[in-house]
mmCIF file of all heavy atoms in Angstrom:
data_model
loop_
_atom_site.group_PDB
_atom_site.id
_atom_site.type_symbol
_atom_site.label_atom_id
_atom_site.label_comp_id
_atom_site.label_asym_id
_atom_site.label_seq_id
_atom_site.Cartn_x
_atom_site.Cartn_y
_atom_site.Cartn_z
ATOM 1 N N LEU A 114 -13.097 -49.619 -80.799
ATOM 2 C CA LEU A 114 -13.878 -50.099 -79.646
ATOM 3 C C LEU A 114 -14.473 -49.158 -78.804
ATOM 4 O O LEU A 114 -15.494 -49.528 -78.072
ATOM 5 C CB LEU A 114 -13.016 -51.169 -78.883
ATOM 6 C CG LEU A 114 -12.413 -52.448 -79.689
ATOM 7 C CD1 LEU A 114 -11.615 -53.305 -78.782
ATOM 8 C CD2 LEU A 114 -13.606 -53.177 -80.306
ATOM 9 N N ASP A 115 -13.884 -48.012 -78.552
ATOM 10 C CA ASP A 115 -14.439 -46.971 -77.742
ATOM 11 C C ASP A 115 -15.531 -46.265 -78.349
ATOM 12 O O ASP A 115 -16.258 -45.562 -77.686
ATOM 13 C CB ASP A 115 -13.388 -46.001 -77.325
ATOM 14 C CG ASP A 115 -12.383 -46.663 -76.339
ATOM 15 O OD1 ASP A 115 -12.739 -47.575 -75.632
ATOM 16 O OD2 ASP A 115 -11.346 -45.867 -76.154
ATOM 17 N N ASP A 116 -15.892 -46.494 -79.586
ATOM 18 C CA ASP A 116 -16.954 -45.836 -80.281
ATOM 19 C C ASP A 116 -17.669 -46.858 -81.284
ATOM 20 O O ASP A 116 -17.762 -46.615 -82.424
ATOM 21 C CB ASP A 116 -16.517 -44.629 -81.154
ATOM 22 C CG ASP A 116 -17.673 -43.752 -81.679
ATOM 23 O OD1 ASP A 116 -18.748 -43.974 -81.225
ATOM 24 O OD2 ASP A 116 -17.371 -42.911 -82.686
ATOM 25 N N LEU A 117 -18.283 -47.984 -80.647
ATOM 26 C CA LEU A 117 -18.987 -48.864 -81.533
ATOM 27 C C LEU A 117 -20.256 -48.305 -82.124
ATOM 28 O O LEU A 117 -20.718 -48.790 -83.071
ATOM 29 C CB LEU A 117 -19.104 -50.161 -80.707
ATOM 30 C CG LEU A 117 -17.793 -51.034 -80.469
ATOM 31 C CD1 LEU A 117 -18.074 -52.126 -79.615
ATOM 32 C CD2 LEU A 117 -17.291 -51.473 -81.912
ATOM 33 N N GLY A 118 -20.774 -47.409 -81.433
ATOM 34 C CA GLY A 118 -21.931 -46.731 -82.018
ATOM 35 C C GLY A 118 -21.695 -45.874 -83.389
ATOM 36 O O GLY A 118 -22.228 -46.109 -84.297
ATOM 37 N N GLY A 119 -20.540 -45.205 -83.231
ATOM 38 C CA GLY A 119 -19.933 -44.491 -84.533
ATOM 39 C C GLY A 119 -19.610 -45.587 -85.463
ATOM 40 O O GLY A 119 -19.690 -45.213 -86.678
ATOM 41 N N THR A 120 -18.946 -46.568 -85.035
ATOM 42 C CA THR A 120 -18.422 -47.540 -86.045
ATOM 43 C C THR A 120 -19.666 -48.173 -86.727
ATOM 44 O O THR A 120 -19.668 -48.459 -87.950
ATOM 45 C CB THR A 120 -17.551 -48.656 -85.305
ATOM 46 O OG1 THR A 120 -16.463 -48.128 -84.705
ATOM 47 C CG2 THR A 120 -17.199 -49.669 -86.386
ATOM 48 N N TRP A 121 -20.657 -48.519 -85.973
ATOM 49 C CA TRP A 121 -21.888 -49.046 -86.520
ATOM 50 C C TRP A 121 -22.498 -48.145 -87.627
ATOM 51 O O TRP A 121 -22.764 -48.536 -88.785
ATOM 52 C CB TRP A 121 -22.983 -49.277 -85.523
ATOM 53 C CG TRP A 121 -24.121 -50.043 -85.900
ATOM 54 C CD1 TRP A 121 -24.226 -51.436 -85.786
ATOM 55 C CD2 TRP A 121 -25.357 -49.569 -86.601
ATOM 56 N NE1 TRP A 121 -25.462 -51.798 -86.292
ATOM 57 C CE2 TRP A 121 -26.179 -50.736 -86.865
ATOM 58 C CE3 TRP A 121 -25.776 -48.372 -86.885
ATOM 59 C CZ2 TRP A 121 -27.454 -50.545 -87.343
ATOM 60 C CZ3 TRP A 121 -27.056 -48.213 -87.587
ATOM 61 C CH2 TRP A 121 -27.907 -49.372 -87.725
ATOM 62 N N ARG A 122 -22.615 -46.880 -87.248
ATOM 63 C CA ARG A 122 -23.135 -45.807 -88.246
ATOM 64 C C ARG A 122 -22.306 -45.754 -89.490
ATOM 65 O O ARG A 122 -22.789 -45.570 -90.559
ATOM 66 C CB ARG A 122 -23.389 -44.435 -87.547
ATOM 67 C CG ARG A 122 -24.411 -44.512 -86.510
ATOM 68 C CD ARG A 122 -24.369 -43.182 -85.682
ATOM 69 N NE ARG A 122 -25.455 -43.130 -84.718
ATOM 70 C CZ ARG A 122 -25.260 -43.613 -83.463
ATOM 71 N NH1 ARG A 122 -24.141 -43.974 -83.071
ATOM 72 N NH2 ARG A 122 -26.278 -43.514 -82.534
ATOM 73 N N GLU A 123 -20.998 -45.792 -89.214
ATOM 74 C CA GLU A 123 -20.161 -45.665 -90.445
ATOM 75 C C GLU A 123 -20.231 -46.640 -91.414
ATOM 76 O O GLU A 123 -20.329 -46.523 -92.653
ATOM 77 C CB GLU A 123 -18.632 -45.693 -89.845
ATOM 78 C CG GLU A 123 -17.576 -45.526 -91.040
ATOM 79 C CD GLU A 123 -16.141 -45.628 -90.498
ATOM 80 O OE1 GLU A 123 -15.889 -45.642 -89.234
ATOM 81 O OE2 GLU A 123 -15.192 -45.810 -91.276
ATOM 82 N N LEU A 124 -20.416 -47.884 -90.903
ATOM 83 C CA LEU A 124 -20.662 -49.062 -91.889
ATOM 84 C C LEU A 124 -22.027 -49.019 -92.450
ATOM 85 O O LEU A 124 -22.092 -49.242 -93.704
ATOM 86 C CB LEU A 124 -20.420 -50.329 -91.088
ATOM 87 C CG LEU A 124 -18.927 -50.668 -90.608
ATOM 88 C CD1 LEU A 124 -18.992 -51.907 -89.715
ATOM 89 C CD2 LEU A 124 -18.040 -50.799 -91.832
ATOM 90 N N VAL A 125 -23.050 -48.948 -91.567
ATOM 91 C CA VAL A 125 -24.470 -49.044 -92.110
ATOM 92 C C VAL A 125 -24.744 -47.878 -92.996
ATOM 93 O O VAL A 125 -25.572 -48.057 -93.963
ATOM 94 C CB VAL A 125 -25.380 -49.244 -90.840
ATOM 95 C CG1 VAL A 125 -26.818 -49.183 -91.341
ATOM 96 C CG2 VAL A 125 -25.143 -50.542 -90.140
ATOM 97 N N HIS A 126 -24.254 -46.700 -92.691
ATOM 98 C CA HIS A 126 -24.663 -45.514 -93.510
ATOM 99 C C HIS A 126 -23.699 -45.229 -94.653
ATOM 100 O O HIS A 126 -23.834 -44.090 -95.203
ATOM 101 C CB HIS A 126 -24.953 -44.379 -92.588
ATOM 102 C CG HIS A 126 -26.046 -44.447 -91.689
ATOM 103 N ND1 HIS A 126 -27.395 -44.971 -92.104
ATOM 104 C CD2 HIS A 126 -26.224 -44.363 -90.228
ATOM 105 C CE1 HIS A 126 -28.091 -44.902 -91.077
ATOM 106 N NE2 HIS A 126 -27.475 -44.645 -89.903
ATOM 107 N N ASP A 127 -22.629 -46.089 -94.810
ATOM 108 C CA ASP A 127 -21.785 -45.823 -96.011
ATOM 109 C C ASP A 127 -22.729 -45.541 -97.267
ATOM 110 O O ASP A 127 -23.577 -46.365 -97.635
ATOM 111 C CB ASP A 127 -20.944 -47.060 -96.268
ATOM 112 C CG ASP A 127 -20.063 -46.814 -97.461
ATOM 113 O OD1 ASP A 127 -20.422 -46.950 -98.571
ATOM 114 O OD2 ASP A 127 -18.893 -46.535 -97.204
ATOM 115 N N SER A 128 -22.312 -44.434 -98.016
ATOM 116 C CA SER A 128 -23.380 -44.046 -99.022
ATOM 117 C C SER A 128 -23.449 -44.933 -100.150
ATOM 118 O O SER A 128 -24.394 -45.153 -100.831
ATOM 119 C CB SER A 128 -22.871 -42.729 -99.546
ATOM 120 O OG SER A 128 -21.551 -42.773 -100.092
ATOM 121 N N GLN A 129 -22.316 -45.785 -100.421
ATOM 122 C CA GLN A 129 -22.305 -46.780 -101.445
ATOM 123 C C GLN A 129 -22.758 -48.072 -101.043
ATOM 124 O O GLN A 129 -23.606 -48.879 -101.869
ATOM 125 C CB GLN A 129 -21.004 -46.824 -102.140
ATOM 126 C CG GLN A 129 -20.581 -45.427 -102.816
ATOM 127 C CD GLN A 129 -19.188 -45.636 -103.410
ATOM 128 O OE1 GLN A 129 -18.694 -46.627 -103.769
ATOM 129 N NE2 GLN A 129 -18.694 -44.394 -103.820
ATOM 130 N N LEU A 130 -22.466 -48.655 -99.877
ATOM 131 C CA LEU A 130 -22.910 -49.826 -99.338
ATOM 132 C C LEU A 130 -24.340 -49.764 -99.319
ATOM 133 O O LEU A 130 -25.075 -50.767 -99.425
ATOM 134 C CB LEU A 130 -22.244 -50.102 -97.976
ATOM 135 C CG LEU A 130 -20.729 -50.513 -97.903
ATOM 136 C CD1 LEU A 130 -20.398 -50.900 -96.581
ATOM 137 C CD2 LEU A 130 -20.497 -51.818 -98.909
ATOM 138 N N ARG A 131 -24.996 -48.633 -98.720
ATOM 139 C CA ARG A 131 -26.434 -48.623 -98.591
ATOM 140 C C ARG A 131 -27.316 -48.882 -99.771
ATOM 141 O O ARG A 131 -28.344 -49.426 -99.741
ATOM 142 C CB ARG A 131 -26.836 -47.160 -98.087
ATOM 143 C CG ARG A 131 -26.669 -46.956 -96.580
ATOM 144 C CD ARG A 131 -27.040 -45.578 -96.232
ATOM 145 N NE ARG A 131 -28.599 -45.482 -96.391
ATOM 146 C CZ ARG A 131 -29.458 -46.082 -95.580
ATOM 147 N NH1 ARG A 131 -29.003 -46.783 -94.480
ATOM 148 N NH2 ARG A 131 -30.792 -45.978 -95.816
ATOM 149 N N TRP A 132 -26.569 -48.670 -101.100
ATOM 150 C CA TRP A 132 -27.410 -48.989 -102.283
ATOM 151 C C TRP A 132 -27.676 -50.496 -102.353
ATOM 152 O O TRP A 132 -28.559 -50.771 -103.105
ATOM 153 C CB TRP A 132 -26.570 -48.534 -103.397
ATOM 154 C CG TRP A 132 -27.288 -48.521 -104.673
ATOM 155 C CD1 TRP A 132 -27.147 -49.486 -105.771
ATOM 156 C CD2 TRP A 132 -28.383 -47.720 -105.011
ATOM 157 N NE1 TRP A 132 -28.158 -49.281 -106.748
ATOM 158 C CE2 TRP A 132 -28.848 -48.166 -106.409
ATOM 159 C CE3 TRP A 132 -29.112 -46.570 -104.487
ATOM 160 C CZ2 TRP A 132 -29.926 -47.545 -107.121
ATOM 161 C CZ3 TRP A 132 -30.095 -46.025 -105.191
ATOM 162 C CH2 TRP A 132 -30.543 -46.534 -106.438
ATOM 163 N N LEU A 133 -26.935 -51.345 -101.642
ATOM 164 C CA LEU A 133 -27.043 -52.742 -101.728
ATOM 165 C C LEU A 133 -28.238 -53.294 -100.817
ATOM 166 O O LEU A 133 -28.576 -54.366 -100.808
ATOM 167 C CB LEU A 133 -25.693 -53.492 -101.402
ATOM 168 C CG LEU A 133 -24.518 -53.227 -102.254
ATOM 169 C CD1 LEU A 133 -23.300 -53.958 -101.729
ATOM 170 C CD2 LEU A 133 -24.820 -53.576 -103.712
#
Side-chain angles (χ1 to χ4, degrees):
L114 296 186
D115 283 346
D116 186 19
L117 283 177
T120 302
W121 190 95
R122 293 175 179 86
E123 179 183 353
L124 292 173
V125 173
H126 293 312
D127 179 282
S128 63
Q129 295 182 13
L130 289 181
R131 279 184 63 79
W132 188 254
L133 301 177

